[in-house]
Amino acid sequence: SGKVVWYGSDGSDNEIYIYDIQIGTVTQITDNSYDDQSARINSGKVVWKTRTSSSDSTNEIFLYDISSGITTQITNDSYSDLYPQVDGSAGRVVWNKEVSSGSDYDIYLYDIASGISTKIEDNAFSDSTPLIDSGNVVWSASDRVNDYEIYLYDISNGIRTQITNNGTNDFGPKINNGRIVWHGYDGVDFEIFLYA
C-alpha cells in the first residue's frame, strides 16, 4: 500500500506514525498520554495496543482506517490484549488476550465490517502471537506436554488443524497464501520447516 507504520516517542510517550512512500509525508495518528506500541499495517488498516487510562494496567487493541481517518477501539475489558495483526484486504484483526496472569493466552478474531469479536482458541495453555493471511490464522501453542506446536484456523469453516505433532518445540510461524513456515527443533538444532 506504499505506507510504513511504526511507534516512536513524541517526547513524552510512544505514538503511532505512518510514512507515505509516494509523497514522503509522515502522519501522527495517535496523540494520548500512554505508550502506543506493536503497530502493524496491511491494506490501509493499522492496528496497535495501548492503555486507555492511568489506572488501566492492561492494554487494549485499536484499529485505524487510513482512507477514512477513523480510529476504532476493538477491545475494552480488564484483560491485557497483545500482539495485534491485521489483514486489511479481508477486513479482519487477530490478537492474544491474556486470561490468566502470564500463563494463559487465548486468540481472538475481529471482523471489521460487522464489529464482532470471536474467540477462536480457548484452552488452559498459552497460545502465542497469531498471524493472519488469506482467511487463515496461524500460531504456536502449548500442546499440553510442555512443548509448542503449530496450529492453523480456517476462518471460512471454523476448523482448527494441528500442523505439527512431535515432542519438540515449534515456534515463530509465518503465513502467506496458505503456506506456513516456522522453526522447529530436529533433535540437534533448529531448522526451518514448510507446510503447503
Side-chain angles (χ1 to χ4, degrees):
S1 64
K3 294 179 175 63
V4 179
V5 66
W6 72 94
Y7 65 90
S9 177
D10 66 352
S12 61
D13 65 307
N14 289 326
E15 304 295 349
I16 306 298
Y17 299 86
I18 297 175
Y19 175 73
D20 189 311
I21 296 170
Q22 300 289 332
I23 57 178
T25 58
V26 174
T27 303
Q28 181 178 334
I29 63 171
T30 63
D31 186 13
N32 55 48
S33 302
Y34 312 104
D35 282 330
D36 302 300
Q37 298 176 319
S38 300
R40 300 290 184 269
I41 187 171
N42 182 269
S43 299
K45 305 288 191 293
V46 180
V47 291
W48 67 92
K49 67 171 187 174
T50 190
R51 292 187 305 145
T52 57
S53 72
S54 57
S55 61
D56 184 6
S57 62
T58 64
N59 290 291
E60 305 298 346
I61 305 298
F62 286 78
L63 168 71
Y64 177 79
D65 186 309
I66 293 173
S67 63
S68 69
I70 294 173
T71 299
T72 303
Q73 183 174 343
I74 293 176
T75 64
N76 186 15
D77 53 41
S78 59
Y79 300 99
S80 205
D81 298 287
L82 307 165
Y83 308 113
Q85 298 286 333
V86 60
D87 185 344
S89 59
R92 296 185 178 101
V93 178
V94 294
W95 70 94
N96 273 130
K97 183 181 293 291
E98 182 184 38
V99 294
S100 177
S101 182
S103 62
D104 183 11
Y105 294 86
D106 289 333
I107 296 175
Y108 282 74
L109 173 71
Y110 176 80
D111 183 272
I112 295 171
S114 69
I116 295 173
S117 295
T118 306
K119 185 189 294 188
I120 64 171
E121 181 63 291
D122 180 10
N123 55 45
F125 303 93
S126 182
D127 302 289
S128 63
T129 57
L131 293 173
I132 186 170
D133 179 73
S134 303
N136 294 295
V137 180
V138 66
W139 68 93
S140 61
S142 167
D143 70 349
R144 302 169 179 82
V145 291
N146 299 319
D147 75 309
Y148 279 78
E149 304 294 352
I150 306 300
Y151 291 84
L152 174 70
Y153 179 83
D154 186 324
I155 296 170
S156 66
N157 58 29
I159 294 175
R160 179 178 65 91
T161 304
Q162 184 173 341
I163 302 299
T164 62
N165 188 10
N166 53 52
T168 60
N169 282 317
D170 299 287
F171 286 118
K174 308 294 183 202
I175 186 169
N176 185 266
N177 292 324
R179 292 180 170 86
I180 303 168
V181 294
W182 69 92
H183 66 274
Y185 192 69
D186 67 356
V188 178
D189 59 2
F190 281 92
E191 304 292 351
I192 304 299
F193 293 85
L194 169 69
Y195 174 86

